Amino acid sequence: MMGPAHSLSGAAAWLGVGAATAAAGHPMPWPVLVVGALLCAGAALAPDLDHKAATISRAFGPISRGMCEVVDKLSYAVYKATKKQGDKRRTGGHRTLTHTWLWAVVIGAGTSALAITGGRWAVLVILFIHLVLAVEGLLWRAARVSSDVLVWLLGATSAWILADILDKPGNGADWLFTAPGQEYLWLGLPIVLGALVHDIGDALTISGCPILWPIPVGRKRWYALGPPKPLRFRAGSWVEMKVLMPVFMLLGGVGAAGALNFI
């Protein structure tokens, strides 16, 4: 799928989690709902760090473009080193390592570890990166015609404001993990969810997605998981733009209403 659909699906997924926790009698504080949705929207772009033409490649200028080059080569090297007889030959690393459940878990765990060991500045960096990605995804057209610096300023300002709001008692810095020193441990959860939602979205397209790696399926270790081929669509097609994106918007709205106890 394309960037806007990925980001919308990520935000909708976290809002759905908010509705589920509210239904279970443990509602999220509203700052956790908002910040989590934005983090998840940004994280839903991150697996395409292995693709030089993806939205994330332009999000941070030369830094993100350079990272895309490195991750593409790393992913390709891992593919070649671990592929089985049934896996096809490739010329690049797109939709390999960063499009797996293992990558999602490792990145999410790393985010949580950074948040609880790095203090406020680590939290601000995490928020800044993912809020910039969320702007790039959710406001794709506006971000494309604006200056990158303006997008970065919006991300930095929003990160500072939201971190201050979360720090206030009862607003969610210690949501879910309440032991001393576990503030912001939950930040890894929307990162994991966003990456997995991205992978599921890509699995619906023609090429499928090797979400299960490194678990082998038959003669393949990089089995492209997806529905039957007649049910798949091309990335950026009318199915994605005219059907799935409105569905994500509707699900996100319902999830938000449920999370805030409006329904």
Side-chain angles (χ1 to χ4, degrees):
M1 290 198 299
M2 305 297 285
H6 278 311
S7 285
L8 271 176
S9 64
W14 186 259
L15 294 171
V17 171
T21 59
H26 300 284
M28 292 180 184
W30 72 263
V32 173
L33 185 69
V34 172
V35 172
L38 292 171
L39 287 174
C40 205
L45 293 182
D48 276 343
L49 194 57
D50 61 3
H51 189 10
K52 291 175 284 187
T55 301
I56 190 174
S57 71
R58 66 174 295 276
F60 301 98
I63 296 175
S64 52
R65 286 194 292 271
M67 289 185 66
C68 284
E69 293 276 0
V70 172
V71 173
D72 178 42
K73 289 180 172 58
L74 172 64
S75 298
Y76 182 52
V78 172
Y79 180 86
K80 288 200 303 180
T82 62
K83 70 184 182 73
K84 297 183 68 176
Q85 298 91 332
D87 292 311
K88 63 182 181 180
R89 293 188 177 185
R90 301 180 62 95
T91 57
H94 182 46
R95 286 200 187 183
T96 55
L97 179 61
T98 62
H99 287 67
T100 65
W101 70 269
L102 184 59
W103 176 274
V105 171
V106 169
I107 293 300
T111 300
S112 290
L114 179 62
I116 63 175
T117 60
R120 179 179 174 83
W121 287 106
V123 171
L124 287 172
V125 169
I126 293 167
L127 292 178
F128 168 70
I129 291 171
H130 291 88
L131 288 174
V132 168
L133 293 177
V135 171
E136 292 282 358
L138 297 173
L139 304 177
W140 182 78
R141 294 188 184 277
R144 281 294 171 113
V145 299
S146 66
S147 166
D148 286 342
V149 175
L150 291 178
V151 176
W152 300 339
L153 286 173
L154 176 60
T157 303
S158 301
W160 192 276
I161 293 171
L162 290 172
D164 280 345
I165 292 173
L166 285 169
D167 275 341
K168 293 179 179 178
N171 276 5
D174 60 349
W175 175 72
L176 196 60
F177 303 97
T178 57
Q182 292 186 347
E183 293 81 5
Y184 293 109
L185 183 61
W186 64 270
L187 289 183
L189 298 178
I191 307 303
V192 174
L193 181 60
L196 291 177
V197 168
H198 177 110
D199 296 344
I200 293 170
D202 278 353
L204 299 176
T205 63
I206 296 295
S207 301
C209 188
I211 303 172
L212 299 178
W213 183 88
I215 302 170
V217 178
R219 296 176 63 249
K220 296 182 178 181
R221 193 177 300 279
W222 295 90
Y223 180 79
L225 196 68
K229 289 190 175 181
L231 298 179
R232 302 186 189 188
F233 58 88
R234 293 189 180 278
S237 68
W238 67 269
V239 175
E240 178 179 334
M241 308 305 290
K242 304 295 185 181
V243 178
L244 290 182
M245 288 184 64
V247 168
F248 295 151
M249 291 179 189
L250 177 62
L251 291 176
V254 172
L260 297 173
N261 291 317
F262 289 141
I263 58 175

